[in-house]
Amino acid sequence: MKYILVTGGVISGIGKGVISSSFGTILKECGIPMTSIKIDPYINIDAGTFSPYEHGEVFVLDDGGEVDLDLGNYERFLDITLHRDNNITTGKVYQHVITKERRGDYLGKTVQVVPHITDCIQEWVERVAQIPVTEDNNPPEVCVIELGGTIGDIEGMPFVEAFRQFQFRVKKENFCVAHVSLVPQPRSTGEPKTKPTQASVRELRGLGLSPDLIVCRSEQPIGPSVKDKISNFCHVAPEQVITIHDLSSIYRVPLLMESQGVIEFLITRLQLNLPIGPERPRSFMRKWRDLADNFDHLRKSVNIALVGKYTKLEDAYASVTKALQHASLEVGYKLNLRYIEAANLETATLQENPVLYHEAWQQLCKSDGVIVPGGFGKRGIEGKISACKWCRVNGKPMLGICLGLQVAVIEFARNVLAWEGANSTEIDPETTHQVIIDMPEYNGSEKGGTMRLGKRSTKFKECTSVVKALYGNVEAVEERHRHRYEVNPAFVNDFEAAGLKFVGQDDSGQRMEIIELDGHDYYVATQYHPEYLSRPMKPSAPFLGLILASVGKLKSYLARGCRLSPRNLSDNDLSDEEDFVKNSKIKQVK
Ligand code: GLN
């Protein structure tokens, strides 16, 4: 097993996650089975209790692990399935050590940060790196470990010390360090400044780790003279300095890293046996090049409104945004995403701040399609319900996710079934019409946790369903969940009789997973979170449906047996009707 430790210098938030994922991507493209570990030095056991405002979204894994959103980057870039143990936090490490201490495993010794915490970290990394993360169950050969935060943070110290020891434990040829640093270019001079990088490399060295690669992030491209300067002052060869300036899309990051000789460096440094020779085949990294080029050449855009409650921090909807991007790119459209604060759509806002209210409604009305993502708690619920009503009544494409499904059901109950005051017991426990209720999940005889988390199966019913067609007419799909409340099965018949169809359910038939509205082009919602399994080259079906419907191409896509016309990426000027007619003519002529 080979390890690449990625550390950060100067400040966080400069794309260390994407750079770490890109190391994985370029080696995976060479045919090496990859895995990754993310270390978050905070005390929380996992990300489950985080407010999306502080840390961005909580990412959910197949096994139900609630983890840092960076794990989402790894899964998407490397197309792998990680496990909850691939995310290490200080809390998890201490919990593990303290449990052992209580059991008496340390035989009366004083339990200390060094060696007990540092040993636990090393054993954890060695154990988890071996776990297969792909369907073929092949053991990984290289593990990228991203250490969150920046070098010098108090919280990160035990981890840095653990890796200082680890480099000797696994031997030099199996371990290297890539240090991601910032090279600011102050407006006043425009000149790139290397001092902060020098200082952080010095700090890293002082803690016993030497960088093998220094990855410099900057706004503008950095010239060779600055590279030389960093090489001189940081005591590394020029080819060990990699520069990454701001790029048109994240898909360009692995390409830019590869073009600077990262693979050649890693082959020598880690003594890698590549399954391909030094002459790379022409198909090498082609998928990424195509993706990046397609992204840069999109001419038309699709306007999507996201009606949420954590709209001030875009990271709060990171996977939803990525899934929308994957789907838009597939259809050949640039995603124009507008975040609408759900509460601003409520009549209370009209009284308090009419400008905000009207602006929010204008954004909603201007959009081609609407997404109502997941969420918790009361704030903004009525605004989301109004957004659903507007989409339902005006034939606007809508995709609801988790809470989005629940509000669509509440809206239908109130405005179509005329069940005034219908609500979820999460919002109003006293409601006369409890259309969304708490349905704890029992695992065998044992009561599970309070949340239904992770991968579960959804079976499609015997009926025509757009979502089923978008998934490729499969019998069942497996997607990830994170919720507590669900549609009350007692009312399912009433909803269906009025046109709101529950086209997918869990194995027991009691949990409603997918809704579709009769007579509407695309009014769809899922109780699960399809965004977690969306990939740049494999967009998620419900998201693809939303984008297709929003640009008026859903019908022709379905009529073609779920295929996009080859012209889609070059010519997206045709409407659904024209497109379809033109295509049928081509077929007739042939
Ligand atoms: N709050 C809702 C529930 O617990 C929805 C959760 C979500 O959207 N992730 O069921």
Side-chain angles (χ1 to χ4, degrees), residues 5-7 9-10 19 23 177-183 194 196-202 204-205 210-217 222 226-227 229-244 257 260 262 265:
L5 173 68
V6 183
T7 57
V10 188
I19 288 167
F23 274 114
V177 179
H179 188 62
V180 181
S181 180
L182 177 75
V183 175
T194 64
T197 300
Q198 294 176 35
S200 80
V201 168
R202 204 177 307 127
L204 183 67
R205 285 225 164 84
S210 283
D212 295 286
L213 287 170
I214 300 175
V215 184
C216 301
R217 280 285 292 113
I222 296 178
V226 183
K227 253 191 171 189
K229 193 170 172 190
I230 293 170
S231 140
N232 270 335
F233 281 99
C234 297
H235 194 62
V236 293
E239 63 269 21
Q240 288 171 274
V241 182
I242 309 296
T243 55
I244 309 284
M257 282 170 62
Q260 295 180 56
V262 167
F265 178 81

Side-chain angles (χ1 to χ4, degrees), residues 373-377 381 384 401-406 424 426-427 436-437 450-451 481-486 527 529 531-532:
F376 293 82
I381 286 286
K384 290 181 184 177
I401 294 173
C402 205
L403 183 66
L405 176 141
Q406 300 173 2
S424 157
E426 178 185 8
I427 315 298
I436 307 292
I437 53 168
T450 58
M451 282 251 237
H481 295 70
R482 182 174 188 246
H483 64 114
R484 210 170 263 135
Y485 296 85
E486 292 174 65
Q527 187 57 74
H529 291 262
E531 69 272 24
Y532 293 134

Side-chain angles (χ1 to χ4, degrees), residues 260-282:
Q260 295 180 56
V262 167
I263 298 179
E264 285 70 20
F265 178 81
L266 291 176
I267 290 176
T268 323
R269 175 65 184 76
L270 294 176
Q271 299 177 9
L272 294 174
N273 284 323
L274 286 201
I276 56 170
E279 279 298 307
R280 307 261 181 278
R282 279 186 49 203

Side-chain angles (χ1 to χ4, degrees), residues 376-403:
F376 293 82
K378 202 170 179 168
R379 189 169 61 82
I381 286 286
E382 293 302 322
K384 290 181 184 177
I385 292 174
S386 303
C388 288
K389 180 177 180 192
W390 185 79
C391 292
R392 180 177 59 76
V393 172
N394 293 292
K396 196 58 75 175
M398 201 266 320
L399 174 63
I401 294 173
C402 205
L403 183 66

